[in-house]
């Protein structure tokens, strides 16, 4: 039983990562049989992984044909960014209220990432780092999901072109270090709005 669960999780994580990174292109049809061969497992863990990805909105199932990536539109991207604004304003408020200057600086310092992949870019890492500093797992999970969807939509729209952190990130950090909630909220809102 445990080997089935771990196989399911492995397949789920692998496929999710490939979808987010744009390695599985929208016209590609995924089938249980081919994936079972690729992962060298029975169809059961593959089926469960595909069901989970479908329930999370990553895939659409076509009975007797297979699964294809759920294509996100420009409107989807815009809607995701709008939803992020109040959540990320909440993030900066919580970080200012609960984190020391050292925690903020350490939590928002990143190594160079893959700037051709929005999900691994410095920009995404900044926003995930900010959510992580809130120490609110629910908020982090929701923002992680929204950022993954925004990355998928961005890749579908723009391909894998370079993405860089915005100039506003340092200003957001400085506002948080100064404990200026109003300014930090305004800057995070401006940062997200410029991505719309």
């Amino acid at each position: 039983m445990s080997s089935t669960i771990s196989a399911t999780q492995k397949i789920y994580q692998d496929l999710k990562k490939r979808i987010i990174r744009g390695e599985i292109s929208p016209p590609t049809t995924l089938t249980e049989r081919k994936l079972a061969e690729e992962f060298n497992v029975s169809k059961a863990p593959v089926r469960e992984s595909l069901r989970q990805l479908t329930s999370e909105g990553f895939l659409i199932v076509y009975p007797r044909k297979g699964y294809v990536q759920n294509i996100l539109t420009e409107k989807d991207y815009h809607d995701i960014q709008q939803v992020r604004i109040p959540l990320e304003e909440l993030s900066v408020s919580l970080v200012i209220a609960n984190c020391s200057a050292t925690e903020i600086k350490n939590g928002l310092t990143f190594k160079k990432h893959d700037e051709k992949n929005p999900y691994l870019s410095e920009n995404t890492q900044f926003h995930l780092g900010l959510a992580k500093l809130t120490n609110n797992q629910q908020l982090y999970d929701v923002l992680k999901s929204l950022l993954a969807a925004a990355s998928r939509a961005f890749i579908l729209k723009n391909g894998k072109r370079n993405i860089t952190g915005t100039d506003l990130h340092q200003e957001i950090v400085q506002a948080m270090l100064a404990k200026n909630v109003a300014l930090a909220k305004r800057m995070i809102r401006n940062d997200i709005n410029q991505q719309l």
Side-chain angles (χ1 to χ4, degrees):
M1 185 79 171
S2 63
S3 63
T4 303
I5 293 169
S6 64
T8 299
Q9 280 304 105
K10 178 183 181 302
I11 295 163
Y12 164 79
Q13 292 293 341
D14 186 273
L15 292 175
K16 183 176 178 180
K17 189 185 303 180
R18 284 156 58 185
I19 292 167
I20 290 169
R21 292 180 178 176
E23 294 167 8
I24 296 176
S25 57
T28 303
T29 300
L30 303 173
T31 66
E32 292 177 10
R33 185 181 55 79
K34 285 183 184 173
L35 289 170
E37 289 171 8
E38 178 185 337
F39 288 100
N40 198 25
V41 295
S42 70
K43 286 184 183 178
V46 170
R47 187 176 302 119
E48 188 52 41
S49 300
L50 293 170
R51 276 192 196 137
Q52 193 171 348
L53 290 165
T54 302
S55 73
E56 292 175 9
F58 287 96
L59 298 172
I60 297 172
V61 62
Y62 291 95
R64 295 182 303 281
K65 290 186 180 176
Y67 297 76
V68 295
Q69 186 181 156
N70 183 13
I71 298 174
L72 298 170
T73 65
E74 191 161 339
K75 183 182 182 326
D76 292 327
Y77 179 75
H78 188 270
D79 291 349
I80 290 163
Q81 299 299 74
Q82 280 188 323
V83 171
R84 282 179 55 204
I85 291 171
L87 294 175
E88 297 218 31
E89 286 178 340
L90 174 60
S91 290
V92 296
S93 296
L94 290 171
V95 170
I96 289 169
N98 300 313
C99 294
S100 68
T102 302
E103 288 171 322
I104 292 169
K105 288 176 187 171
N106 291 342
L108 296 174
T109 303
F110 310 105
K111 300 178 209 154
K112 200 66 173 168
H113 290 277
D114 181 356
E115 297 305 320
K116 290 189 186 299
N117 182 337
Y119 194 68
L120 299 177
S121 71
E122 183 182 328
N123 182 59
T124 299
Q125 296 308 308
F126 175 83
H127 291 280
L128 281 176
L130 185 60
K132 192 170 192 103
L133 281 173
T134 68
N135 202 27
N136 181 321
Q137 191 62 45
Q138 299 301 317
L139 180 58
Y140 177 81
D141 289 344
V142 169
L143 281 169
K144 185 176 180 183
S145 176
L146 288 171
L147 285 161
S151 296
R152 285 174 46 227
F154 186 93
I155 289 171
L156 291 169
K157 180 183 170 201
N158 301 298
K160 291 189 175 184
R161 67 176 177 80
N162 277 10
I163 314 297
T164 57
T166 71
D167 297 335
L168 296 176
H169 290 173
Q170 280 309 312
E171 294 178 45
I172 294 165
V173 170
Q174 291 309 312
M176 289 192 297
L177 292 173
K179 304 285 185 190
N180 188 333
V181 176
L183 178 59
K185 283 183 172 183
R186 188 167 70 246
M187 298 310 296
I188 200 85
R189 191 166 48 247
N190 290 346
D191 181 45
I192 296 167
N193 278 332
Q194 75 180 12
Q195 299 168 32
L196 286 173

